[in-house]
Amino acid sequence: MRHKIGLLSDIHGNVTALEAVIEDSKREKVTEYWLLGDLVMPGPGAAELFQQIDKLNLPVFVKGNWEDCFLQSLAGEIDWEDPTDIYIGKLSKYLWENISVKELDRIKELPLYASRKVNHLNFGISHNLPTKNYGGFLSTVKGQENFDELFPSEEIDIAVYGHIHHQMLRYGSAGQMIINPGAVGQPFSFRDKLRQDLRAYYAILEIDDEGLAQVDFKKVPYDVAKEITRARQSQLPYSELYQTLLTTGHTQTRNRMLLAEINEQFGYKEELQRFLKRADFRGASDKTQK
Ligand SMILES: [Mn+2]
């Protein structure tokens, strides 16, 4: 049987990019989708992201590090001296306010790793490493031994992961394949000329009875101005930084000087401390509205 599988990763709250990719994938007659994590933040997308993915045949959804950052912020795991922690905390508050209990529970229940058999091929699917969804262990320049850790079992023929925001195809030491579809909502390259291509990236695997017939690395144009307007209208915190991200490809997550200035200007630290102290608040189970 012939399958066309859409690999979607690192949407990062960018609903407009996600919509464009879904539309393109329908034209391509994709039959199922695997979501490799980092669906949320720092973009304005919240409940709409779930509405979009719920329209898809989506048997795989693994948890990215930003999903964990969100849950950790809500659990109060914040270094109050770190402007980046406050930035992520404030974005987490925004997301919490704009999703339902059901969606929050869904994020909590996501697995780190999934495996699928398609025809005779075994796939291993993770955001980053099968047991660790964060860190730079699998960036493009790392050594072969790092990439071999994508294969926790001898059974796996093809490993699929996201996280590094680069489209990539390479091999494991035992001849296995490794495929990364790049980022839907936040494409990136260290190289200036390559980073100028800020379309929405994803990939399609075509699998037939003989094997992996085709890997199609795609880049889909989308309406960046519309996404920026969405961020403003949703009153997304740090929306000016989000605009910079969408138009230059540069994230400000680790620009602690700039984040400290914005946090100070809007009183985000105190606001977040008040929010997390609320008696009716503590993660999912106590959330009764929306
Ligand atoms: Mn990630």
Side-chain angles (χ1 to χ4, degrees):
M1 198 184 154
R2 194 166 154 275
H3 300 262
K4 278 187 106 169
I5 299 165
L7 304 180
L8 311 181
S9 193
D10 295 275
I11 292 150
H12 286 289
N14 189 338
V15 192
T16 314
L18 178 61
E19 287 167 347
V21 160
I22 290 173
E23 207 180 302
D24 184 79
S25 67
K26 282 181 181 161
R27 278 195 295 273
E28 296 276 8
K29 304 207 170 1
V30 164
T31 49
E32 72 174 74
Y33 296 81
W34 299 348
L35 179 48
L36 311 182
D38 281 3
L39 175 64
V40 297
M41 303 203 296
E48 321 88 281
L49 292 166
F50 290 89
Q51 284 158 17
Q52 286 297 326
I53 63 169
D54 283 342
K55 294 179 195 164
L56 310 174
N57 172 22
L58 186 80
V60 175
F61 182 0
V62 293
K63 186 164 65 171
N65 52 310
W66 279 76
E67 274 83 48
D68 270 331
C69 283
F70 168 64
L71 297 173
Q72 285 157 8
S73 294
L74 294 186
E77 293 171 35
I78 291 171
D79 174 355
W80 295 104
E81 301 311 312
D82 185 347
T84 295
D85 266 29
I86 294 166
Y87 167 73
I88 291 170
K90 172 69 183 166
L91 288 170
S92 299
K93 175 178 180 287
Y94 166 90
L95 182 62
W96 184 83
E97 287 166 344
N98 289 286
I99 60 173
S100 67
V101 184
K102 200 174 135 235
E103 286 149 359
L104 184 53
D105 285 343
R106 196 159 157 201
I107 294 173
K108 285 185 169 181
E109 285 157 14
L110 293 173
L112 279 180
Y113 186 72
S115 58
R116 296 284 290 177
K117 188 168 186 184
V118 185
N119 294 349
H120 62 295
L121 296 173
N122 292 313
F123 289 83
I125 305 148
S126 48
H127 180 65
N128 185 45
L129 286 170
T131 53
K132 184 181 171 183
N133 61 3
Y134 59 94
F137 197 79
L138 296 176
S139 72
T140 52
V141 295
K142 297 294 171 167
Q144 185 62 46
E145 63 279 11
N146 286 24
F147 290 96
D148 287 339
E149 294 205 19
L150 280 164
F151 302 95
S153 147
E154 294 233 330
E155 300 289 297
I156 302 298
D157 304 300
I158 303 176
V160 171
Y161 79 106
H163 185 56
I164 61 169
H165 299 208
H166 281 66
Q167 293 182 325
M168 191 185 73
L169 191 155
R170 59 175 292 155
Y171 287 84
S173 291
Q176 316 98 318
M177 291 181 84
I178 300 168
I179 296 166
N180 194 309
V184 169
Q186 197 178 312
F188 179 72
S189 172
F190 289 105
R191 192 168 179 85
D192 291 344
K193 272 198 270 178
L194 297 182
R195 198 178 52 254
Q196 285 166 16
D197 190 340
L198 292 165
R199 288 177 285 190
Y201 292 31
Y202 81 110
I204 301 171
L205 305 181
E206 193 174 336
I207 300 154
D208 61 17
D209 291 332
E210 294 191 65
L212 181 58
Q214 188 172 317
V215 182
D216 192 358
F217 289 106
K218 300 213 68 178
K219 296 175 182 175
V220 183
Y222 74 98
D223 190 342
V224 174
K226 181 180 173 185
E227 177 65 10
I228 290 167
T229 303
R230 259 179 165 155
R232 294 257 164 76
Q233 286 176 347
S234 315
Q235 294 179 308
L236 175 74
Y238 311 92
S239 60
E240 67 281 16
L241 302 188
Y242 188 58
Q243 178 169 350
T244 303
L245 174 64
L246 294 185
T247 53
T248 68
H250 282 297
T251 166
Q252 307 297 322
T253 310
R254 286 167 198 88
N255 188 343
R256 290 186 165 80
M257 286 238 298
L258 179 59
L259 292 175
E261 259 177 48
I262 299 171
N263 293 342
E264 177 70 27
Q265 186 187 348
F266 294 103
Y268 283 161
K269 180 177 175 177
E270 295 71 24
E271 184 199 316
L272 190 57
Q273 284 174 333
R274 280 195 303 275
F275 169 71
L276 291 173
K277 271 186 203 147
R278 274 164 46 177
D280 65 333
F281 174 79
R282 270 291 145 185
S285 51
D286 299 337
K287 186 175 175 179
T288 51
Q289 290 179 346
K290 281 197 171 180

